[in-house]
Amino acid sequence: MPPTNFFQSIWAKKIRIIDRFYFSLILLVLAVLYYRSRYISVHVPFTEYQWEVYTILFFLVSFIVIDFWGDFILKCWLTVSGLVGKLIFYGLMIIVYFLILSPVFFIVHLFTKKKEETSSNWSKKMYINKDYQNMG
Amino acid sequence: MERFRVFFQLMKYLWTRRKFWLIPIIVVFVFMGIVLVISESSVVGSFIYTLF
Amino acid sequence: MYILGISAYYHDSSAALLQDGRIIVAIQEERLSRIKHDRSFPQLAILKCLETAGISIADIDLIVYYEKPFWKFERILDTVTYHIPFSFPQFSKAIPLWVKNRLWISAEIKKKLKYKGKILYASHHESHAAAAYYSSGMDNAAILTLDGVGEYATTTLSMAEGNKITVLQEQNYPHSLGLLYSAFTQYCGFKVNSGEYKLMGLAPYGKPVHQQKIYDHLIQSYSDGSYRLNMKYFNYSEGLNMINKKFIALFGKPARHPESEMDPFYIDMAASIQIVLEELVLKLVECTKSLTQKENIVFTGGVALNCKLNQKIVESGIFKNQYFYPCPGDAGSAVGAAYLGWHGYLQKEKTPVVHSPVYIGNSFSSAIILEQLDQLQIPYTVSENTTAIIAEKLAAGRIIGWFNHRMEFGPRALGNRSILADPRKPEMKDILNEKIKLRESFRPFAPIVLEGAAHELFDLHPANYDTMMVTAKAKPGALDLMPAVIHQDGTARIQLVSKELNSKGFELVEAFYQLTGCPALINTSFNIRGEPIVESPIDALRTFLYTDIDILVFNAEIMLEKNADTEKLKHIIKPVNYAAD
């Protein structure tokens, strides 16, 4: 897919309120996990980080409530995660292609004899699976 | 569940076709496919850009 | 018992529904999704098939997919591996499609259709062959299938007796006549998979000066009909193009830029590859004859859409009877798949073919059309006797949009979703090409001809001339009578019409014949360039409004003339921009 299509398709995406709600919920869960892990060993009274919690809650609620803000944040997230995802995916493709497929290719070619030129190109050794229930 | 059935059928197919060398590649891709499809159909799905 | 055949993901998706051995409805997805050559999962087509038959998905006993997904996947991985390290573009393009949909076709079918029954898989060429043979009405025949590529096979010779089809020989990827023709299609600046018929239309204007070069370098043909492509010149196994630099160096000119001015060089190229294709296929037909010793041949697969080639097969007289299936491309394979479920898997005996394999699409009753027209507040006239009126209008040079009951299945409009005009006027070809179809001026038009009168006008041989699959040589009188439909090389891609096949179409041509003495009409598909053939009354209205069609006729009863009232409709029905094909 050309890069312009990638960005266009993300920014043209329709984001529903429920999506924004879920997104905020996920962030909230992450925030809770973060604080739990940070303050798990020492007991800190709630008042100590009250303002941080309130700021986070403020942002989360505003994601849901304010149309533009929520859309913007979500689309930014989609762009960044999409790019990272694409990088990982193509990385994987390159790894599979060059590290797994290529050595196999050389091994297979070592063991297969080159087909000799003949006076016909009909193939009689057909693989036809008469079992209609089989996908191959 | 259907997808796992397809996966096993595919492995069986490669076995009967004696194409053992294709197995590792296919395992990687099939696994990737299953993860992607499952994640896309869950709540998290709307936050993952459809990669392909 | 109902069997659903599905063809999807490669060229044209489609669905076909078989009831107790007979195909009762088949629809291509492109007609409903309005995307030409739509290859997505044919959800709309399937639902429309069920609706037309008046059943639900729970009534379906079997679903048959038209090819073997694993087999094809294996071929792709094989090809990619063979061309390491140059095949990465091919690899990175193909893998995502496979990982996402193509491998999971069974899961997709079950999920999208909420289907719980059994799913079967037929092989690609078997589906092609089955669609053609079981529709042909023949009891035994040799079948020649030629296309781009299926799973591995590109050319198969099969034999059919009773309800059984046996593959005798095959040729495998990458040696393919279909792909060879596509390579030249791309070289001449047309789109692969859809521009092949333009190349064929261009061929008669040129001289086959490059023929020897093609034989010397690109293809080796053996005496037993088989052939081998010289893969040094082609790129389709590794990259995303059909041809490579060596191919261009061989002919000395770069590939033609699409939509650019037509250079005579490329016209000669079209003529050369057409001749080569014809010679190679005739060799194959001879080989089929000696292998099967049958009297009938059924020719199918994408290459069978080449009606000039079909004419050569018919004229060669190698076989006594020939049948050309009207939907030989991948869309038709949905029909083949459904048939294989019945005859192949369930081993049922053949039933006599009772109706045409073409007029099996969905239809709109006059009541529904009237209701829609009333809603849009368009004035119309309803008359029992429209054919006489329309014949007069045609003779007066008017162009008619003809929308009649069941839609055709296959790439040709055969008198149910057609634009009709007077073939006696030579200028009609340019008017239709430029003002209505908005397409290239070299493209020919085909006539719909009364069956009874055709022998006097055309050289006919034993074949099915009723579906525009074969061109026929025009006799001297024909050119004077209908100059607009005779192509540069003196042939016409005729469609014979009879009362049994298409009663309303027959009545109209008959009325025109009585009036003018010309037993034919120009018949071209009801669409503009890049648009799929119209499916619904609204599609027809849209094309009617934004082209120079003068009169629109629904079901040979309801008539709309273009006037100030219909102009007002443009506020309600907006035009759609179609990408050029």
Side-chain angles (χ1 to χ4, degrees):
Chain A
M1 188 191 280
T4 45
N5 279 9
F6 170 69
F7 291 114
Q8 267 169 14
S9 71
I10 286 180
W11 292 96
K13 215 177 159 121
K14 245 193 134 54
I15 286 166
R16 300 162 301 171
I17 292 185
I18 189 93
D19 290 334
R20 298 206 296 260
F21 175 70
Y22 280 142
F23 186 66
S24 304
L25 215 62
I26 291 171
L27 288 187
L28 185 67
V29 170
L30 289 178
V32 168
L33 285 177
Y34 172 73
Y35 282 113
R36 288 291 300 168
S37 65
R38 200 161 159 203
Y39 299 110
I40 195 95
S41 43
V42 275
H43 179 77
V44 182
F46 179 72
T47 45
E48 290 268 313
Y49 50 87
Q50 215 173 12
W51 66 272
E52 293 162 297
V53 172
Y54 282 127
T55 322
I56 284 172
L57 279 177
F58 168 75
F59 277 115
L60 291 184
V61 170
S62 72
F63 288 169
I64 304 169
V65 177
I66 307 168
D67 247 11
F68 171 77
W69 183 228
D71 269 21
F72 181 76
I73 295 285
L74 246 163
K75 281 173 181 172
C76 284
W77 160 252
L78 280 174
T79 312
V80 173
S81 66
L83 280 175
V84 172
K86 266 177 187 296
L87 271 177
I88 295 174
F89 178 70
Y90 279 101
L92 203 68
M93 296 264 279
I94 289 170
I95 290 171
V96 169
Y97 186 82
F98 289 105
L99 295 184
I100 308 182
L101 215 52
S102 302
V104 166
F105 159 78
F106 287 111
I107 295 164
V108 168
H109 272 242
L110 272 182
F111 289 103
T112 45
K113 271 187 241 156
K114 216 181 169 192
K115 214 178 156 190
E116 279 171 39
E117 282 277 315
T118 51
S119 59
S120 172
N121 200 22
W122 287 115
S123 131
K124 283 184 183 133
K125 217 177 76 190
M126 280 169 300
Y127 167 79
I128 285 198
N129 196 338
K130 273 285 167 198
D131 178 8
Y132 287 103
Q133 294 189 55
N134 203 309
M135 290 178 84
Chain B
M1 261 310 86
E2 181 65 25
R3 283 168 203 273
F4 287 100
R5 227 175 51 83
V6 172
F7 175 71
F8 288 118
Q9 236 193 73
L10 183 56
M11 288 300 119
K12 215 174 117 195
Y13 170 81
L14 291 174
W15 193 260
T16 51
R17 292 281 286 155
R18 324 299 282 166
K19 297 251 168 163
F20 310 115
W21 50 276
L22 282 178
I23 292 176
I25 300 150
I26 289 181
V27 168
V28 172
F29 282 127
V30 164
F31 179 71
M32 216 162 83
I34 291 180
V35 168
L36 265 161
V37 168
I38 289 173
S39 62
E40 267 176 33
S41 54
S42 67
V43 173
V44 203
S46 20
F47 312 111
I48 298 169
Y49 179 76
T50 352
L51 281 177
F52 42 81
Chain C
M1 174 154 201
Y2 291 99
I3 301 176
L4 182 70
I6 295 178
S7 158
Y9 294 142
Y10 297 94
H11 302 127
D12 306 65
S13 301
S14 67
L17 189 61
L18 175 139
Q19 181 189 17
D20 300 329
R22 292 206 169 102
I23 297 288
I24 51 169
V25 48
I27 302 170
Q28 287 153 272
E29 182 74 359
E30 61 161 26
R31 305 288 169 85
L32 298 158
S33 70
R34 308 306 298 155
I35 300 166
K36 193 135 182 164
H37 301 299
D38 193 352
R39 58 178 195 175
S40 52
F41 186 81
Q43 180 102 2
L44 297 170
I46 293 169
L47 295 179
K48 195 56 112 183
C49 282
L50 297 177
E51 186 195 312
T52 308
I55 57 171
S56 75
I57 193 73
D59 299 315
I60 299 288
D61 299 283
L62 269 181
I63 288 184
V64 190
Y65 186 61
Y66 82 124
E67 62 178 15
K68 299 263 188 194
F70 293 169
W71 202 5
K72 191 162 197 154
F73 191 42
E74 183 198 322
R75 190 253 298 160
I76 288 169
L77 285 177
D78 251 0
T79 320
V80 162
T81 326
Y82 190 80
H83 293 282
I84 282 175
F86 304 108
S87 54
F88 190 70
Q90 179 85 278
F91 178 78
S92 62
K93 193 186 160 207
I95 292 302
L97 296 171
W98 278 93
V99 172
K100 191 158 186 206
N101 308 104
R102 295 181 179 178
L103 272 181
W104 316 112
I105 178 73
S106 60
E108 199 106 322
I109 290 173
K110 287 189 173 169
K111 193 176 158 197
K112 285 193 167 155
L113 302 177
K114 300 194 172 61
Y115 173 72
K116 294 191 180 69
K118 205 174 249 178
I119 300 173
L120 306 179
Y121 309 86
S123 75
H124 189 105
H125 271 223
E126 218 184 342
S127 297
H128 272 310
Y133 171 67
Y134 296 121
S135 305
S136 71
M138 293 170 169
D139 285 328
N140 67 85
I143 310 173
L144 175 59
T145 314
L146 270 170
D147 71 352
V149 58
E151 289 96 357
Y152 270 93
T154 61
T155 307
T156 40
L157 301 186
S158 337
M159 192 161 72
E161 269 162 357
N163 70 344
K164 204 167 179 270
I165 296 175
T166 326
V167 179
L168 301 174
Q169 268 184 329
E170 67 178 19
Q171 269 206 238
N172 289 334
Y173 186 83
H175 308 289
S176 159
L177 288 181
L179 293 175
L180 174 73
Y181 203 78
S182 294
F184 278 85
T185 304
Q186 189 180 57
Y187 185 56
C188 293
F190 302 115
K191 231 181 185 172
V192 174
N193 284 338
S194 63
E196 279 78 0
Y197 61 103
K198 294 186 190 172
L199 196 69
M200 178 184 74
L202 203 56
Y205 293 94
K207 290 190 194 72
V209 288
H210 306 286
Q211 187 185 355
Q212 200 49 47
K213 218 176 215 178
I214 297 175
Y215 278 125
D216 289 346
H217 298 278
L218 298 185
I219 190 159
Q220 186 174 6
S221 158
Y222 302 113
S223 55
D224 62 354
S226 62
Y227 52 88
R228 184 187 294 272
L229 295 187
N230 188 350
M231 293 311 293
K232 261 199 277 179
Y233 294 95
F234 301 95
N235 193 37
Y236 55 78
S237 291
E238 306 111 84
L240 306 173
N241 271 326
M242 298 297 292
I243 53 176
N244 59 19
K245 283 180 191 155
K246 280 186 189 137
F247 187 99
I248 289 166
L250 177 68
F251 291 106
K253 270 203 183 190
R256 173 179 164 260
H257 197 269
E259 303 295 315
S260 67
E261 202 55 32
M262 188 54 79
D263 180 338
F265 172 81
Y266 299 103
I267 302 179
D268 290 342
M269 203 53 93
S272 311
I273 187 62
Q274 179 69 29
I275 288 275
V276 170
L277 179 78
E278 285 169 9
E279 287 178 356
L280 290 170
V281 175
L282 279 183
K283 250 185 176 178
L284 275 168
V285 172
E286 264 168 21
C287 165
T288 314
K289 176 77 185 180
S290 61
L291 204 69
T292 60
Q293 295 302 327
K294 294 274 175 202
E295 291 193 327
N296 310 324
I297 186 171
V298 169
F299 183 36
T300 186
V303 179
L305 279 167
N306 194 311
C307 48
K308 281 180 58 58
L309 162 68
N310 296 352
Q311 183 192 349
K312 289 280 152 57
I313 296 176
V314 166
E315 284 173 355
S316 72
I318 298 168
F319 280 87
K320 219 173 182 179
N321 298 304
Q322 21 267 316
Y323 179 79
F324 303 97
Y325 180 55
C327 190
D330 280 1
S333 296
V335 168
Y339 271 131
L340 283 172
W342 182 255
H343 296 296
Y345 179 70
L346 298 173
Q347 303 276 325
K348 301 277 188 184
E349 284 307 311
K350 270 186 80 181
T351 39
V353 177
V354 286
H355 55 69
S356 149
V358 175
Y359 306 110
I360 50 175
N362 55 324
S363 64
F364 292 83
S365 70
S366 295
I368 290 177
I369 296 172
L370 286 177
E371 200 186 300
Q372 290 191 358
L373 293 181
D374 285 335
Q375 265 176 13
L376 292 165
Q377 296 177 322
I378 318 168
Y380 53 80
T381 46
V382 181
S383 150
E384 285 286 292
N385 192 24
T386 44
T387 45
I389 307 168
I390 297 297
E392 269 174 40
K393 302 265 185 199
L394 279 164
R398 313 294 288 279
I399 295 164
I400 312 292
W402 184 258
F403 185 105
N404 185 27
H405 297 289
R406 295 195 80 169
M407 182 167 65
E408 299 91 342
F409 180 65
R412 308 266 168 262
L414 298 170
N416 276 4
R417 299 286 189 277
S418 290
I419 295 172
L420 305 172
D422 187 349
R424 295 172 303 159
K425 302 181 173 66
E427 68 275 12
M428 207 42 120
K429 184 181 157 189
D430 293 332
I431 296 175
L432 282 174
N433 265 335
E434 280 155 29
K435 293 205 172 152
I436 311 251
K437 307 277 284 191
L438 317 172
R439 65 183 201 186
E440 300 94 332
S441 61
F442 64 84
R443 299 194 22 204
F445 286 101
I448 173 167
V449 187
L450 286 183
E451 196 172 29
H455 278 276
E456 292 158 25
L457 296 162
F458 298 96
D459 266 341
L460 298 185
H461 298 266
N464 59 322
Y465 283 97
D466 54 353
T467 50
M468 275 194 196
M469 288 300 293
V470 200
T471 50
K473 219 174 167 65
K475 288 183 179 172
L479 184 62
D480 301 329
L481 198 58
M482 43 183 101
V485 288
I486 311 294
H487 199 28
Q488 184 74 8
D489 56 354
T491 64
R493 197 181 67 199
I494 56 171
Q495 176 207 347
L496 300 189
V497 63
S498 62
K499 206 175 175 86
E500 300 76 51
L501 263 179
N502 187 337
S503 62
K504 288 292 168 194
F506 173 80
E507 263 175 46
L508 181 65
V509 188
E510 176 79 17
F512 186 77
Y513 179 45
Q514 299 296 342
L515 197 70
T516 64
C518 171
L521 288 173
I522 297 180
N523 172 17
T524 183
S525 52
F526 200 155
N527 62 345
I528 57 170
R529 192 178 176 188
E531 180 194 14
I533 298 175
V534 300
E535 181 261 336
S536 67
I538 296 294
D539 299 334
L541 270 170
R542 184 179 297 115
T543 306
F544 168 66
L545 285 178
Y546 294 98
T547 57
D548 280 2
I549 298 174
D550 300 303
I551 300 164
L552 177 58
V553 186
F554 290 111
N555 292 352
E557 276 179 2
I558 308 158
M559 227 167 69
L560 255 86
E561 280 200 65
K562 203 169 263 170
N563 51 31
D565 288 321
T566 51
E567 282 302 300
K568 280 185 210 150
L569 266 183
K570 287 189 177 172
H571 297 295
I572 309 170
I573 302 174
K574 297 283 178 211
V576 178
N577 284 324
Y578 294 101
D581 53 342

